[in-house]
Structures are given as C-alpha cells and as structure tokens.
Amino acid sequence: MQINIKQLRDRDISVLPFEFVTDISDIEPTVASPVKVSGEIRNQADVIILSMTIEAERNLVCDRCAKEFSRVTSVPFEACVVDHLDNEDDEDDFIICETDLLEIGELAVSMFILGFDSKNLCSEDCKGLCQICGANLNEQTCDCKEESIDPRLQILSQLLDD
Ligand SMILES: [Zn+2]
Ligand SMILES: [Zn+2]
C-alpha cells in the first residue's frame, strides 16, 4: 500500500486520509480477521506526520487459565515522515521516505505486531487454574486448599513440633 505524498509536501493539501485492509493471517496466525488500517497523513507547519490505528480481531489463549478467546487488538501509531535524516541517531523516531511514495502497508503490519500485549488474559481478574487439581477457578471452586493437609498428618506434625 503506497500513498503519494507530493501534494502534502507541496502544501496543495494539508490532510490526506486513508483506509485499507490487509490480510496477514499467513504470517501471524493469531489474527482472525483482515487487518483494518485507518488514519491520515498531514502537513503541520511543513512537518509531515503520519498517524494511524491498526486493528484486527485475534484468537488468543489466556496465559492464566488456557481458555481460548477472541478480542480486537487496536494499535495506534504516529511518526514524522522525512526525506532524509540529518542525524543518523534519530532513525527510530522518523520514517524516511526519499521519494513521494510512502509505503505504509508493511509499516502498518510491523507496527501492529510490535504493539501486541506480551500477556494475554481472558479477563483482568482471571483466577486461573488450581495448581493442584487443574480446575478452572473462573468456572468452579475446588477444595484443594482445605484437603491439602490431611487432619491426621496435621496432628502428627504438631506432635513432632513439640
Ligand atoms: Zn483466563
Ligand atoms: Zn483444586
């Protein structure tokens, strides 16, 4: 997906909105729907700024209870577009576009994948699985804590302590 930004650079227009979809299910298996990219490129006091939101529904597995769930992941992204860099150290903060054609398809895909959460939880307060019996504590309770110490052994340990 390339966008011609010549009119923006020449100040013929000040804003250029865009929207497109791209399918990345073959490179990112958690992505369950086409990736929707929407945003704009604008000329703000002769600085070209790209801002966009990249989103898609993803099929995930909860890190705590192993339940499968779907959720829309939405990643915002904004950066300045320049035709060259004066200082090589600034590389990470800018997008370099030497011609008037700005490639945003690949950029959107890489920014989307980089923006994924490192932890996936089915809900903020997921109780997870019982360490002893493996029960999903969101769906049921178990008596593992009470039963983990056999009353007879408890008496024995008290005797040994004395
Ligand atoms: Zn969970
Ligand atoms: Zn249990």
Side-chain angles (χ1 to χ4, degrees):
M1 179 70 191
Q2 288 185 328
I3 292 185
N4 192 321
I5 57 171
K6 184 173 182 353
Q7 283 183 300
L8 276 172
R9 280 179 165 159
D10 292 348
R11 277 189 280 174
D12 292 336
I13 53 171
S14 57
V15 187
L16 191 60
F18 61 85
E19 192 172 294
F20 61 93
V21 291
T22 179
D23 184 1
I24 61 162
S25 53
D26 52 339
I27 56 166
E28 182 49 51
T30 62
V31 174
S33 71
V35 178
K36 191 179 149 206
V37 186
S38 58
E40 62 178 34
I41 309 165
R42 59 183 187 273
N43 183 331
Q44 199 166 304
D46 279 337
V47 178
I48 307 291
I49 299 166
L50 162 70
S51 64
M52 61 182 167
T53 302
I54 313 128
E55 67 179 32
E57 186 168 341
R58 295 171 63 215
N59 290 333
L60 301 166
V61 176
C62 178
D63 290 335
R64 257 183 227 161
C65 72
K67 191 177 110 175
E68 293 180 4
F69 64 100
S70 300
R71 182 173 298 153
V72 172
T73 298
S74 186
V75 176
F77 176 76
E78 187 167 272
C80 292
V81 181
V82 293
D83 56 5
H84 71 285
L85 276 183
D86 292 325
N87 184 346
E88 295 286 317
D89 296 340
D90 294 337
E91 205 174 57
D92 293 341
D93 303 321
F94 295 95
I95 297 162
I96 305 158
C97 179
E98 287 169 347
T99 67
D100 286 325
L101 288 177
L102 179 63
E103 168 58 55
I104 55 173
E106 287 168 25
L107 178 73
V109 169
S110 37
M111 288 307 142
F112 185 54
I113 293 171
L114 282 174
F116 288 175
D117 291 332
S118 53
K119 249 190 179 315
N120 296 308
L121 296 180
C122 65
S123 82
E124 282 290 314
D125 53 358
C126 172
K127 297 190 187 79
L129 302 179
C130 170
Q131 305 275 348
I132 299 159
C133 74
N136 184 337
L137 300 177
N138 298 309
E139 291 161 6
Q140 61 188 100
T141 53
C142 64
D143 302 321
C144 287
K145 278 204 180 80
E146 284 81 358
E147 283 176 2
S148 60
I149 302 169
D150 186 311
R152 283 165 300 177
L153 290 176
Q154 203 168 18
I155 292 165
L156 188 66
S157 75
Q158 277 168 2
L159 289 172
L160 288 171
D161 274 346
D162 286 341

